[in-house]
Amino acid sequence: MDFLLQSLLLILITLLSLICVLQKRRLDGTKKLPPGSFGLPLVGETYQFLFTKIGHFLEERSKKYSSEIFKTNLLGEPTVILCGPAANKFVSMNDPKLIKVWYMKTQRRFFNIPDQIHATMPKQVSVSAAPVKILGFLKPEGLVRYMGTKIESITHQHFMTHWEGKTEVKVYTLVKAFSLTVAYQFFLGIDEPHHVEKIATKFENLYSGLYSVPVCFPGSACHRALKAASAIRKDIQFLIKEKIEALSKGHVMDDLLAHIVGAEQDGKYVPKLGISNIIMGLMNSSYIPIATTLAFMIKHIGQRPDIFQKVVYEHDDIAKSKGSGTTLDWERILKLKYTWAVAQETMRLYPTAPGAFREAITDITYEGFTIPKGWKIFWAIIGTNNNPRYFDEPENFDPSRFEGNVPAPYTYLPFGAGPRSCPGKDYTRFVIHILITKFKWEVIFPEEKVSGTLIPTPAEGIPIRLYHI
């Protein structure tokens, strides 16, 4: 299977390289291109990018060429890698003045994004984003306001079912199930456990295929993701019909899908054909990333008594202030500052958003180099995370670095920046509050290996021993 995959990859990149050659011939020979290498003929450096740890890929080339900018060839496309605070600011401030979003072929297929994205996507994005911004659904306070006691009820039910009475659990498996359950309630208004269990594998396959080789033969990650996307889309389209019928009967629903469908029915915002892709994209971007952050937070809190005790003190104070039987409101969530520092340090060491692709709309002059029009840009958001210039002893887990003196501007962007920054970033504090008030725990494998190339994954699932309070 590996040999077949590599063979098909070579065939694909051979075809894509023809486009690359034509692009290179159009370049003005007087332009000063960034340092770097396009890699092997035809193949480029696609394999290294997709199948080695992204941090290693960036570090090796930063040392060899430049820590700020270098060129390569990815997926048959001449690509410039941008790293560092200056790059973070540049991309944040110039999107979409000089650059535009670019999606890999796999992503375009999964979410039905037109190939000519520059001609059609801006209108669709502005239209589809309107109700989301108006309703405030994707803001942390929106989660609290629209779900009210529902999220607390889901959380308690989850712990009662999967944690209570257990002496050992695998954290990563459980927080993934929990994250998807909340996503289904929040985005779709579904709280049926069997439905969530049925769809979980589909979302895992979809997420795993986002950065896969764009060769979809049976058994490949791309093929599994494509099938999963189709199945999820059908499920959501069926729910859209149910929402339309319920709304026509005067039923009141607070999930995001119901609000978008309602807005569309009024002829204001989103065409029906785009609703399923919008919801699928939002759910996909909030499922594994939140679960990954929660899992590694729980691991580090459990194996560091000093951190555990500080978190306990903070949450005890919040619990006393809100009283029993009272929902943890947004105002109190904001007071969990040390817990948020733990979350930030977790995301620094275990980033779930390694970067994003862009495309140069015009010739761009950056740091004395030219990024030619049409070239792709990989914005390496994590490029500063392990750099000692910005974080002392970056290999150490130290939440205190996010207390008081926060990192300098644009040195740490776990969710991106600007108009496309990631929503829902404060979600973890609520979950840790419920957990820390119910249990103490011990990490069974403190030195557990972390696998994954672009997204960190605990090799053993972070097994822990539970001690009920």
Side-chain angles (χ1 to χ4, degrees):
M1 183 64 72
D2 289 341
F3 175 78
L4 178 61
L5 175 62
Q6 293 181 22
S7 299
L8 290 173
L9 173 62
L10 288 173
I11 293 172
L12 172 70
I13 296 180
T14 299
L15 296 175
L16 291 177
S17 66
L18 296 176
I19 300 174
C20 182
V21 169
L22 293 176
Q23 288 175 327
K24 291 177 186 177
R25 287 180 179 175
R26 290 200 300 266
L27 293 177
D28 183 349
T30 63
K31 294 174 182 176
K32 184 180 179 182
L33 299 179
S37 170
F38 287 117
L40 296 174
L42 304 180
V43 177
E45 295 187 312
T46 302
Y47 184 87
Q48 294 93 323
F49 179 78
L50 293 179
F51 300 112
T52 60
K53 288 186 181 296
I54 182 64
H56 295 164
F57 178 88
L58 296 175
E59 184 178 358
E60 288 177 359
R61 286 152 187 79
S62 293
K63 289 180 178 179
K64 187 174 182 180
Y65 304 117
S66 166
S67 62
E68 305 292 334
I69 179 173
F70 58 88
K71 69 176 182 287
T72 182
N73 183 304
L74 302 177
L75 299 167
E77 300 279 359
T79 304
V80 172
I81 310 292
L82 296 182
C83 305
N88 292 340
K89 182 177 181 180
F90 173 79
V91 176
S92 302
M93 300 298 290
N94 288 288
D95 181 3
K97 298 175 184 177
L98 300 176
I99 58 179
K100 64 181 180 181
V101 172
W102 182 78
Y103 295 98
M104 296 171 61
K105 184 177 180 180
T106 50
Q107 296 167 332
R108 296 198 299 270
R109 292 186 67 180
F110 301 157
F111 297 98
N112 286 341
I113 300 172
D115 288 336
Q116 299 298 324
I117 189 171
H118 64 275
T120 57
M121 188 54 63
K123 180 179 178 181
Q124 291 181 359
V125 169
S126 62
V127 169
S128 65
V132 172
K133 291 181 179 179
I134 292 173
L135 295 171
F137 257 100
L138 299 185
K139 296 180 179 179
E141 59 269 31
L143 180 64
V144 177
R145 182 169 66 252
Y146 285 100
M147 296 193 72
T149 59
K150 291 181 182 178
I151 187 171
E152 191 163 18
S153 174
I154 292 171
T155 305
H156 284 298
Q157 182 61 47
H158 169 79
F159 282 114
M160 185 180 301
T161 303
H162 300 287
W163 299 68
E164 297 283 356
K166 306 292 194 305
T167 57
E168 289 188 10
V169 297
K170 286 194 173 183
V171 171
Y172 190 53
T173 300
L174 295 187
V175 294
K176 282 194 297 182
F178 173 75
S179 179
L180 190 58
T181 299
V182 174
Y184 255 74
Q185 174 66 62
F186 181 55
F187 290 113
L188 303 177
I190 294 177
D191 58 2
E192 301 171 7
H194 72 278
H195 194 112
V196 176
E197 292 174 3
K198 181 181 178 181
I199 205 74
T201 300
K202 297 176 184 177
F203 266 104
E204 287 217 31
N205 287 339
L206 173 60
Y207 196 85
S208 299
L210 286 180
Y211 289 99
S212 62
V213 178
V215 181
C216 292
F217 60 88
S220 68
C222 176
H223 187 261
R224 289 193 298 269
L226 192 61
K227 288 182 60 178
S230 177
I232 294 170
R233 191 178 293 109
K234 288 180 181 178
D235 285 348
I236 296 176
Q237 288 173 344
F238 177 78
L239 290 172
I240 290 173
K241 294 180 181 179
E242 289 190 335
K243 300 290 182 185
I244 292 174
E245 293 178 3
L247 289 170
S248 67
K249 296 177 182 178
H251 294 180
V252 178
M253 293 173 284
D254 277 337
D255 58 274
L256 180 59
L257 179 59
H259 280 278
I260 293 181
V261 169
E264 190 277 331
Q265 280 188 302
D266 293 335
K268 296 179 180 179
Y269 303 113
V270 188
K272 290 184 177 66
L273 293 178
I275 294 177
S276 57
N277 286 321
I278 294 169
I279 293 295
M280 182 169 64
L282 292 172
M283 292 184 68
N284 181 72
S285 63
S286 66
Y287 166 40
I288 295 295
I290 289 176
T292 300
T293 299
L294 277 171
F296 284 109
M297 279 183 74
I298 293 170
K299 175 183 177 180
H300 282 281
I301 292 173
Q303 66 185 33
R304 286 279 298 277
D306 57 325
I307 295 176
F308 185 91
Q309 205 56 54
K310 290 187 71 171
V311 173
V312 167
Y313 287 151
E314 183 174 64
H315 286 263
D316 280 349
D317 289 342
I318 293 297
K320 292 175 183 176
S321 68
K322 77 181 183 69
S324 60
T326 305
T327 301
L328 184 64
D329 57 31
W330 179 240
E331 181 180 352
R332 290 186 175 89
I333 288 176
L334 287 177
K335 293 180 180 179
L336 297 170
K337 297 184 182 300
Y338 183 73
T339 304
W340 181 234
V342 175
Q344 288 182 293
E345 179 68 344
T346 301
M347 291 182 287
R348 183 187 69 80
L349 285 176
Y350 308 98
T352 58
F357 280 103
R358 299 288 189 263
E359 181 178 329
I361 297 174
T362 184
D363 282 1
I364 298 171
T365 300
Y366 180 80
E367 296 293 321
F369 299 103
T370 296
I371 303 175
K373 177 182 178 180
W375 276 36
K376 305 307 178 283
I377 297 170
F378 182 73
W379 174 24
I381 300 173
I382 66 168
T384 56
N385 286 19
N386 294 303
N387 193 324
R389 292 170 60 185
Y390 312 113
F391 297 98
D392 292 334
E393 299 180 330
E395 69 282 356
N396 293 340
F397 189 89
D398 181 14
S400 67
R401 69 176 86 244
F402 291 99
E403 294 183 289
N405 296 323
V406 297
Y410 295 102
T411 59
Y412 177 66
L413 300 176
F415 319 104
R420 300 184 185 278
S421 59
C422 180
K425 55 191 177 185
D426 298 290
Y427 175 79
T428 53
R429 283 182 278 193
F430 184 92
V431 179
I432 294 298
H433 177 73
I434 304 298
L435 177 64
I436 204 77
T437 55
K438 286 179 173 288
F439 305 97
K440 292 181 180 179
W441 60 94
E442 175 186 344
V443 178
I444 295 177
F445 302 124
E447 303 301 323
E448 178 179 354
K449 291 183 179 180
V450 178
S451 59
T453 54
L454 295 170
I455 305 299
T457 304
E460 304 296 331
I462 308 183
I464 62 173
R465 293 189 182 90
L466 282 176
Y467 303 95
H468 297 254
I469 296 177

